[in-house]
Amino acid sequence: MKFPYGSSYDDLQALVNQIKSDIQLSTINFDPYSFVSPSAYDMAWLAMVEEDHNVDDDGELKPMFQDSLDWILCNQNAGEGYWGNSGCLVTSMSDAEDEDRDEMNTLTSTLACVLALHKWNIGCFHLHKGKRYIERRTEIIIEKHNEEGFYPRWFIIKFTGILEHAQQLGLHFVFSSRCIEMINEVFYQRQEILKREELLHDCNHIPLLAYLEVLPSTIYIENREDIIVTSLDSIDGSLFQSPSATASAFMITRNSKCLAYLQNVVQRCPNGVPQKYPLNEELIKLSMVNVIENIGLGEFFCREIEHVLQQVYTNEEENVDRVPISYLADKLHKDSLAFRMLRMRGQTISPRSFCWFLNDQQTRDHLERNTDSFFLVILSVYRATDLMFPGEQELEEAREYTRNLLEQSRSIDERMIKHELSTPWIARLKHLDHRMWIEDKDSNVLSVGKASFLRLHSTYISKLTHLASRNFLFRQAIYRSELDELTMWVKKWGLNDIGFGREKTTYCYFATATSLPFESAIKVGKLTAKTAILVTVADDLFDEEGSLEDLEALTQAVIRWDGDELKGYGKIIFRALDDIVRETTEACSKQHGVDITDQLRDIWAETFEAWLREAVWSKKGHMPSMEEYLHSGMISIAAHTMALSVSCLMEPCFPQQKLSPGKYDTLTTLLMIIPRLLNDLQSYQREQEQGKINSVLLHMRNTSGLKIENSIAHIEKIIDSNRKEFLEHVLMDGLSDLPKPCKEIHMSCCQVFEMFFNKKNRYDSDTEMLQDIKKAFYDPVNVNELSEIEPKPPMVHGDEFLILPLLMNLSPKILEFKRKDEYGAVKTSMCLRRSFGAHKRAIALQPLKIVALQRIVAPVMPAKSAPCFY
């Protein structure tokens, strides 16, 4: 399709193509682990594993996983000197607290990497920068929590354990006396933890033994190897799916299962191991799809998304094998994501595909004990229950269960939970939802590890977020342009200064454009908004301003479709109405070769008759039956008037037989009922004061002794029942004759009314939606920078020069350069002997035409005498 901003769209599409070539979700060789964030902490512990009976020429042990050591050398933050990634698992209440925990995670990762470099006497420059970061930041980081007298359990265990390891290896740090005092307090808190917890006690879903690499050996001197070996996972040989803990287990026991696990994880994740392995690979794929869709890029990745979902649908099983609880949490997360995505696409999938956990007491107990840690899983289950059809009791139970858990949670993302619980999915507008996810720094969370969230890789997420931001700004520009055109149309037909009622031009365009899929919004957004504006003005005329004589004249003019005898307000309304119908019918005739003039006029006549009927009831004090009221009210709310008019412009063409009053599709009828009752829930007080009628008031009047809250509950129950049926008709094939694009129009229309009347009447407020409108049309997107360190592949191409930094105090040594040939074999390409001490400058090496620089070996100088806190 053509867009009004062709060049901008071309630039956007070029960026899309570039990112799609990088991500390649639908390729045969797609590797899910390439999308998972690596863990500097776990890489450091792998780097510390010694090779079995393999020593160098000097008779010293060699690292078993040399690539892990090389990874550390290649992935230090060049500016600050730290290693690590963001995303700490905490129960913070603010962004500032989130940052504090991120720094804690970075600190422990940097400590582990520095320890690995020190152990192998390599990377002097990297080690020096890492030590400086540790000495500079430790006091600042722990000071923030010292005032509270509380440190996260994972931080206490890891921080103190690595410091003990450093002391044992002769690695010292310079800290102030104040810092030493606070560190000692952390050690005291560790002693308290070790006293009250057993090695395998399930505390916050992570037992002590999962931190084996940093535990003091004194707590399991007796039969420690037996304890470790019997705790290994029977499936993969890991210690709690933790590469760092399993590396430690292997160094202690030299167990063959541990070794097999470590070799597997290194081979499977050549660009850096995650903090948790193995992972549910389908969860990784679905999480990528989830991010793409949440940030508004689904339209660009349709083929890739369908490929992933088809694979998942093919593999979908309802049986739950008995596997460790940590696997079950990820399985539940995957199953709930799959259910929501597949059901949204009309696939037949049973709620049992993820509601199996309701009958699994172990899983329920685990979720209840660790609500904050597993809030992401719980939230995913809750979101899956948004798509509930009639009679699905399992989904009812799952929704109530997860809602209770979320209400009790003190999760890191309270804002997201509050949004989920207060604003139903069906009451949200797509465009604003996309913005929320673009700005949410936790949108890329995949799973939970020992100390932090396991995230999708920042390399890909940053690219996707950048694209989503560009796309959002592009859409904002188009929306603003269309709103200006719509405002001119309103002025042209005199609807803006008609002198009574509600002026809702911006509200109407905001609601219609941002609720529709973008392509549909460009096609019919303005026309839908015109219809909504006219409905608002005409409804106000019948409700407040017009005399019965004038209202009858206008209604008859619409029935005859002849407004020549009208004057005043009636003439203004009819002329604008005639322009809307003419624009719609001409577009339909041009696109489909079909004339729908008579059908649209009949729909409008039906709507005006309903408005007139209710005006007569009000002015004459007539009290209709509930049946009479609903029959008229579902027409007068005019939801179908808006939806059917523009549905005729979609592809394929709307079935004409479904346009005639009395012959509407069941989906259209449901669309007429739901908005009427939603409106009644939020307007009964005002209408009661004005002496008007409403379904809430009628039900209370017809039921002797019934209180207003009971009447409200009754109407809410009716809405809920119709909403489930409506969703089923929208999403599933075979229940409605309407084409899919027309169903989407019905869905968007329903979402708009749900948004207008969610817990209050936002439409009648002059200020309630202004902030949302600013976010949708005017405010730039606030994109959070991801702080995760991105792996930098050790590549030197073509004629690039490699500049070696000056290492102060470095004595003459051999700097060894290695490369890989085309078969992957590592070969020495050059040895350079040079003294740096006197020259204090960098050396430029001539081009070597090497494929990949494997590593630079720089000796670690003996540390200067430095005080230690012991």
Side-chain angles (χ1 to χ4, degrees), residues 649-665:
L649 304 183
M650 307 306 292
E651 298 282 353
C653 187
F654 193 93
Q656 289 192 60
Q657 69 273 18
K658 299 286 187 176
L659 287 174
S660 301
K663 297 181 180 179
Y664 298 138
D665 190 88

Side-chain angles (χ1 to χ4, degrees), residues 219-234:
I219 70 170
Y220 51 84
I221 291 178
E222 297 181 6
N223 65 345
R224 67 171 184 170
E225 292 192 20
D226 291 340
I227 293 174
I228 293 170
V229 171
T230 56
S231 301
L232 295 178
D233 190 286
S234 60

Side-chain angles (χ1 to χ4, degrees), residues 807-818:
L807 301 181
M808 305 299 292
N809 305 320
L810 183 62
S811 59
K813 292 283 183 178
I814 294 177
L815 296 178
E816 182 180 280
F817 296 83
K818 294 190 175 183

Side-chain angles (χ1 to χ4, degrees), residues 11 28 98 237 260 268 341 443 467 470 492 592 637 691 840:
D11 293 341
I28 296 176
D98 293 351
R268 192 72 177 81
M341 293 178 184
S443 64
L467 173 60
R470 289 273 302 273
K492 174 183 177 181
H592 303 299
I637 196 66
K840 300 188 186 313

Side-chain angles (χ1 to χ4, degrees), residues 52 63 67 83 176 190 364 375 493 495 557 591 634 646:
D52 276 330
D67 286 347
W83 287 267
S176 70
R190 184 185 71 164
R364 292 181 65 148
F375 94 93
W493 295 104
L495 296 174
Q591 287 178 223
M634 60 191 285
V646 295

Side-chain angles (χ1 to χ4, degrees), residues 834-851:
R834 184 68 185 256
S835 172
F836 286 87
H839 297 281
K840 300 188 186 313
R841 62 183 175 82
I843 291 179
L845 300 180
Q846 293 302 317
L848 300 178
K849 300 291 184 181
I850 56 179
V851 176

Side-chain angles (χ1 to χ4, degrees), residues 397-454:
E397 185 180 347
R399 188 169 186 82
E400 182 180 358
Y401 177 77
T402 51
R403 184 182 184 90
N404 289 336
L405 291 181
L406 291 172
E407 287 173 344
Q408 299 166 19
S409 174
R410 296 172 293 109
S411 162
I412 182 175
D413 207 339
E414 280 194 329
R415 181 184 59 82
M416 181 62 70
I417 290 178
K418 182 178 180 181
H419 176 71
E420 286 290 338
L421 298 183
S422 64
T423 309
W425 163 79
I426 201 171
R428 299 177 206 156
L429 304 181
K430 291 180 176 65
H431 186 60
L432 281 180
D433 239 24
H434 295 158
R435 180 189 181 113
M436 178 190 71
W437 284 108
I438 292 170
E439 295 180 336
D440 182 42
K441 64 185 179 62
D442 290 321
S443 64
N444 64 330
V445 173
L446 169 67
S447 184
V448 61
K450 290 196 300 190
S452 64
F453 286 128
L454 192 63

